[in-house]
Structure formats: C-alpha cells, structure tokens
Amino acid sequence: MKKLSFLALLIISALAFVRPLQAQVRLNVNVNIGNQPVWGPVGYDYAQYYYFPDIDVYYDIPRRQYVYLNGNSWLFAPALPARYHFDVYRGYKVVVNEPKPWLHPDVYRGRYARYKGPGWYGKQDIIRDSRDSKYYVVKGHPMYGKGNNGNGPGKGNDKGKHNDKGKFKDKGNKGHGKGHGHGHDK
C-alpha cells in the first residue's frame, strides 16, 4: 500500500510540474506580439508574415524584411524600393502563418484579391493605435513599456490623446484604422 501511495504521489507531482512547463512552451511559441511592427494589424497574438494585396508583397516579421518580386526572383530587403509608394500604416495587411507564402503567390493573390484597392485603404486597426495593454510591448507604440507597471521605456512620454472609441491618436501622424478582421490565415 505504501508503494502504491508513493507511486501515486510521484505521478501527481510529475503532472504538476509538466503542465506549467507545457503552458510556458505554448506561450512562447504562440505569442510574438512584441516582434510585430507597430503598423501591424491588431488582433493577432502570433503572426509570421503579412501579405499586402495592393502591391503583392510580403513582410517577414521575424526577419523584419519585405519580400518582393523583382523580375522572376523574390528579394528580401529591410525597406521597399521607392517604386512601391506604399503606406504600411494605411495599406491593408493580411496575416499569413504558412511557411514561405511567396513560393505560392497565385494562392494568396486569388484568396485575398477582395482586399486590394482603395476600398480597404485605412480601414484596419493597427497596433500603434490600440489601447490594449498587450501591445505596449511593441517598440514604437505610444504606450511602449507602460504595460510593465509603468516602469518601462515609455514612462512619462504619453504625448497623444485617446479618442472616444478607445483608440490612441498619436499627434501628427496620419492613418488611423477603422477596423476589419478579415483576411487572415491562422
């Protein structure tokens, strides 16, 4: 009986240790909010790529690089060439969590063609304008660092105003979204 009780206690102890460890691993794998750019769309705890239907370009979030077609080759660069004339704050972005989506461009062109054009321009809430404290970890957010008990890098420099819809308006910046949760792969 003592052996059975000891074995049961050992199993319970092991499960108590494994569950928090699994939760921590899942949290680290499934959340990358702090790595997303301030112009990224709100509502995603994890995003690997953004697709811009208007210009047929991808953004690789972990690498912080745009992926665009140049002739027959996809190029990676930290900035888009001047020929694109694209405002990432107002242009529509689709979250894509599939590996190397640019290798299947026809799939994404077809799937997200409806988000191409002026009808979607400026109609997406972005991280910079969100008052949700989970986005305060994004460098460049007006409240950057305030989610850590007010002791972070953004302490004391709140220069914007909050509107009546709960969005943070950064003085002097254009491109405040209207919010649509369409066009994403999870």
Side-chain angles (χ1 to χ4, degrees):
M1 187 69 177
K2 286 184 181 181
K3 287 182 181 180
L4 187 58
S5 297
F6 177 73
L7 184 59
L9 183 62
L10 185 63
I11 290 172
I12 291 170
S13 298
L15 289 175
F17 175 74
V18 171
R19 287 185 188 262
L21 185 59
Q22 286 175 338
Q24 182 66 36
V25 169
R26 239 180 270 132
L27 180 66
N28 290 338
V29 170
N30 293 330
V31 176
N32 74 340
I33 292 171
N35 293 332
Q36 295 177 42
V38 72
W39 46 261
V42 299
Y44 303 94
D45 290 342
Y46 180 80
Q48 189 170 4
Y49 304 102
Y50 296 137
Y51 173 61
F52 304 102
D54 285 327
I55 58 174
D56 195 30
V57 168
Y58 301 86
Y59 183 77
D60 185 328
I61 296 167
R63 292 174 68 172
R64 291 178 157 63
Q65 292 189 332
Y66 295 90
V67 185
Y68 61 92
L69 197 57
N70 188 26
N72 292 328
S73 301
W74 289 95
L75 298 180
F76 288 76
L80 285 172
R83 71 177 184 257
Y84 281 98
H85 305 292
F86 185 73
D87 182 352
V88 294
Y89 286 87
R90 299 195 66 205
Y92 199 82
K93 294 152 288 281
V94 178
V95 171
V96 178
N97 289 325
E98 296 175 13
K100 299 180 182 178
W102 55 89
L103 296 180
H104 310 284
D106 292 337
V107 170
Y108 298 98
R109 288 176 191 141
R111 188 180 295 168
Y112 301 114
R114 68 182 177 266
Y115 299 107
K116 188 174 182 177
W120 291 97
Y121 194 74
K123 293 192 175 181
Q124 190 174 43
D125 285 338
I126 61 172
I127 291 170
R128 177 195 65 193
D129 299 336
S130 176
R131 286 187 58 202
D132 188 334
S133 62
K134 74 179 182 180
Y135 295 113
Y136 296 178
V137 299
V138 178
K139 191 171 185 176
H141 189 282
M143 300 292 285
Y144 176 64
K146 299 250 175 151
N148 300 327
N149 298 323
N151 298 323
K155 185 177 182 186
N157 62 1
D158 183 1
K159 297 185 189 319
K161 292 183 180 178
H162 293 77
N163 69 16
D164 59 344
K165 294 180 184 173
K167 302 293 177 233
F168 188 86
K169 296 274 186 167
D170 192 14
K171 291 181 180 177
N173 288 324
K174 297 178 182 176
H176 303 288
K178 303 288 187 255
H180 290 277
H182 307 291
H184 60 277
D185 286 346
K186 286 192 175 188

